[in-house]
Every structure is written in C-alpha cells, then in structure tokens.
Amino acid sequence: MTGMTTDAELRELTVGTGAGGEQLGTDMVLNIGPQHPSTHGVLRLRLVLDGERVVSAEPIVGYMHRGAEKLFEVRDYRQIIVLANRHDWLSAFANELGVVLAVERLMGMEVPERATWLRMALAELNRVLNHLMFLGSYPLEIGAITPMFYAFRERETLQAVLEEVSGGRIHYMFNRVGGLKEEVPAGWTGRARTAIGEVRRSMPDLDRLIRRNEIFLARTVGVGVLSAAQAAAFGASGPVARASGLDLDLRRDEPYLAYDQLEVPVVTRTAGDCHSRFEVLLDQAYVSLDLAEQCLDQVDRLTGPVNTRLPKVLKAPEGHTYAWTENPLGINGYYLVSRGEKTPWRLKLRTASYANVQALATLLPGCLVPDLIAILGSMFFVVGDIDK
C-alpha cells in the first residue's frame, strides 16, 4: 500500500487486536452477496462489522443489468407486456396489468366489464402465489425446510388453474390493451373455485406449522423493527409497510378496476418486526383467496366480450399519464409518456421492492450477523424488481 493510510481506512482494514494489550480498531468490511440464498436474486450488501454486530449497511444494487425501462422505448405496446411481467417474476400478472392500465388510461379506453372482473380474480390468485413463495422461502432461510413443501403444494394447486387459463405457469402474458388475450375455457371458474377451496382448507397446515413455532418466534419477534415513520420516509408499501402500522392499500384507498365494488379488508400489525411482516403476508393470502372467489362470482353473472377490437398498429395519443396498482409486494407505479407513436417515449417504473429494500440501511445497523438473514428475508423483495 502506498501513501498515507487514514484512520478511517485503518479502522476498516484492521481485524483483530494489537500487540501489547492495546485494542486496535476491529471493524471488518464484509460482503454479503452478490449471490446469497436469501437475497432473491443478485444483490450485494456491504456491511461494516464490529465483531458480530453490524455497524453500517449499504445495499448495492444494479448487478442484474436488466434495463427494462430503456427496452420499453423500442417495443410497441403489445411487446412491452412480455418484458413487464418479468421484473418481479413472482407477480407477473400484476406487472402486466399495471402497464395495460396506463396505456388504456392514456387512450381513454373502456374495458369490457367481464374482462375487468376476470383481471381482478387472476390478480388476486397471482397475489396468493407470490405470498406462498415467501411464506415457504422465508422460514427456509432461517433453517426451517418443511414449510417450503407445504407452500409449494398450495402453489401447485393454483398454478394449475392459471396455467389452464393462460398457458403459462410463471409468465402469463394474458393481459392485453383493452382486456384479456381470450375468453377463459368452459367451466374454468368452477375449477378455479375448487382450487381456492382446496388451498383454503390446506393453508392452516402451513399456518400451524410456523406462525407460533417457538424457534421461529425466537428468530423473528422484536428483530428488525421498522417504525411507521421510517416506513413512510423510505416510501415502503405493501406487507412491509402494513406490518409497521401504515394502513394503506390502493385497492381500498384509490380503487382501480372494480375494487370499489368490493369490501377489501386490509391486514395490518403495529410491531414492525420480522414476525409482523410474516403474519401480514400470511393473513393477506387468506384475504386474497376470499376476494378471488367474490370476483369469480361476478364473472359467472356477466356475459359479453373480454377484449376490445384494436387496430393492427396500436398508437397511444400524445400525452402522459400515471397508473399505480397494489402489487403483491407493494405499490407499483407506471409513468407513461407518449409522443403519439407505436412505442412509448418513456415508461418509468416505480417498483415496490426498490423502495422497500432501501430501508435495510436503517434496519441492519445494530443487529447481529445471525439476525441479518432473518431481516433481509422479511423484506420480501425480488431483485429483478429493484434492477428493473
């Protein structure tokens, strides 16, 4: 090493104790990632540790180089959907929905009522699929393998229903500007209702296994506390914010589609710790199953088309609009700017994971290394949603 070393650099570089009994600085810089089981993608955390205690934490993002927003500018409004459903690969249907809602709003387009209720039913089923993944993977990250098997059993039941309707298990590509790709198969609503009933009956197996498990409680209660003020300051939303007491849900507060015709229960907690975030996610899955069933009841009462006839080349009029939706992980926003061409001039995404993961810089300092993974997993993010 050449040149003079500052005290700060010495403190970071020196690990251990000095000779003669004099204690030197013992802070160590540790990189978690950019590949780690609980980062749900390629995320890096730069931690400064004092022994086993975290002194400071810096989330470093951008390793996935997705560039989705730039790619949107050279894709037409049909092609964008295939990219949009991939930034949060666990919430594909909801991602598609946000994009088409923005385009429809800019075009002043009315969507058939049957398509609206089908969209809501599918969005709620996609929400349950998203939550089940985290309900299985979060306990796995802190040492409990069995919940993963229960969560995937329920996921498989619902994925069969979405695969039947769209042909896809993860990336559905079922939304279109003006409605949906096509009518659902004959008898599908009945089969979807059966699947919902099956999952509702089986969910308590997962619930009883983990919610009050004493080891799980010891690892999560009082750990990684995010206050309501901090959650609001970071722009956190979804289960992460509601676990801190922020009573916000766009489905109820600024309804889109036909959510204003439904009673949407909003699950909240006040403790703001890892366990509260897990509980909100778990209880929200029950709520979404009920909402999906109510939407299917409406679909059965309606007849008519599920899409709107569009020109071969779709052009949104000149102007700009903003649409936001309550995605499974929180609020997603879509700012669309058009110059009257078949591609958007700009389509800016505001994703839930990007806002939520910022809070790690506040949550992690002061915690112990073993608690680090419990906190990281409880933020329920998908890195593709951050590196959009």
Side-chain angles (χ1 to χ4, degrees):
M1 187 180 292
T2 58
M4 296 295 290
T5 305
T6 66
D7 289 344
E9 288 171 332
L10 184 65
R11 185 163 173 76
E12 283 193 354
L13 292 168
T14 308
V15 180
T17 57
E22 184 184 348
Q23 180 84 20
L24 291 180
T26 55
D27 286 4
M28 175 174 64
V29 178
L30 176 69
N31 282 293
I32 299 283
Q35 286 284 15
H36 190 278
S38 70
T39 57
H40 307 282
V42 193
L43 175 73
R44 177 182 163 210
L45 287 176
R46 184 181 180 277
L47 306 172
V48 176
L49 303 179
D50 181 4
E52 279 204 74
R53 196 166 294 281
V54 177
V55 176
S56 68
E58 180 190 3
I60 301 170
V61 303
Y63 285 91
M64 296 189 78
H65 307 291
R66 295 175 78 83
E69 290 180 356
K70 201 66 190 168
L71 290 170
F72 290 159
E73 295 171 17
V74 290
R75 303 289 193 279
D76 69 35
Y77 291 108
R78 293 180 176 94
Q79 293 168 325
I80 283 172
I81 298 168
V82 77
L83 286 174
N85 75 19
R86 282 163 166 75
H87 57 84
D88 172 0
W89 46 80
L90 298 177
S91 311
F93 189 88
N95 297 339
E96 299 171 12
L97 184 59
V99 170
V100 297
L101 286 174
V103 179
E104 288 162 5
R105 183 171 293 180
L106 193 57
M107 297 180 73
M109 184 183 292
E110 284 289 326
V111 174
E113 194 178 3
R114 184 172 166 84
T116 297
W117 285 100
L118 271 169
R119 279 177 171 181
M120 288 165 63
L122 292 164
E124 293 306 321
L125 291 173
N126 187 204
R127 193 183 308 276
V128 179
L129 281 170
N130 173 290
H131 291 358
L132 282 168
M133 173 60 83
F134 286 105
L135 292 172
S137 69
Y138 180 51
L140 181 67
E141 284 152 16
I142 51 181
I145 191 170
T146 313
M148 197 68 166
F149 301 131
Y150 284 98
F152 265 74
R153 181 186 67 183
E154 316 315 340
R155 272 177 61 86
E156 196 57 43
T157 303
L158 293 178
Q159 276 191 311
V161 167
L162 273 96
E163 184 179 9
E164 181 189 357
V165 79
S166 68
R169 287 171 57 82
I170 302 292
H171 302 298
Y172 308 108
M173 274 304 293
F174 200 58
N175 277 290
R176 294 292 185 273
V177 176
L180 295 170
K181 177 187 169 190
E182 59 197 6
E183 181 55 84
V184 296
W188 177 82
T189 55
R191 290 188 290 279
R193 221 178 260 105
T194 302
I196 289 169
E198 242 177 85
V199 173
R200 193 186 280 116
R201 283 190 299 276
S202 303
M203 278 278 287
D205 292 343
L206 176 63
D207 196 325
R208 285 191 297 269
L209 186 69
I210 198 71
R211 192 196 293 253
R212 293 286 163 234
N213 181 287
E214 60 185 74
I215 301 172
F216 186 70
L217 289 170
R219 293 296 307 275
T220 56
V221 172
V223 175
V225 176
L226 181 70
S227 69
Q230 287 171 330
F234 281 108
S237 57
V240 169
R242 289 195 282 272
S244 297
L246 286 186
D247 188 4
L248 173 67
D249 192 311
L250 293 183
R251 294 172 297 171
R252 180 198 63 191
D253 303 329
E254 284 206 26
Y256 52 98
L257 296 174
Y259 278 112
D260 55 341
Q261 297 177 44
L262 291 178
E263 187 74 36
V264 181
V266 179
V267 179
T268 58
R269 295 287 185 277
T270 53
D273 57 7
C274 292
H275 194 262
S276 295
R277 290 190 277 275
F278 180 85
E279 276 200 319
V280 167
L281 207 69
L282 183 54
D283 290 338
Q284 229 172 236
Y286 289 115
V287 168
S288 287
L289 288 171
D290 293 341
L291 290 175
E293 200 160 42
Q294 292 173 46
C295 293
L296 291 171
D297 291 342
Q298 290 289 340
V299 170
D300 283 342
R301 294 191 190 103
L302 296 166
T303 55
V306 294
N307 45 37
T308 308
R309 186 174 289 278
L310 297 172
K312 191 171 183 181
V313 177
L314 182 67
K315 293 183 179 181
E318 194 169 334
H320 61 95
T321 191
Y322 184 76
W324 58 351
T325 58
E326 187 67 43
N327 267 38
L329 298 181
I331 294 172
N332 271 29
Y334 302 82
Y335 179 56
L336 172 63
V337 184
S338 170
R339 290 189 169 173
E341 298 161 352
K342 67 177 183 178
T343 60
W345 185 73
R346 183 81 168 91
L347 179 53
K348 166 70 179 162
L349 300 179
R350 184 265 187 221
T351 61
S353 296
Y354 188 78
N356 292 354
V357 83
Q358 294 178 90
L360 289 171
T362 295
L363 277 181
L364 295 179
C367 82
L368 296 171
V369 172
D371 291 334
L372 178 92
I373 304 309
I375 296 169
L376 195 61
S378 75
M379 296 308 284
F380 308 130
F381 58 86
V382 170
V383 179
D385 211 30
I386 300 168
D387 297 349
K388 48 197 184 293

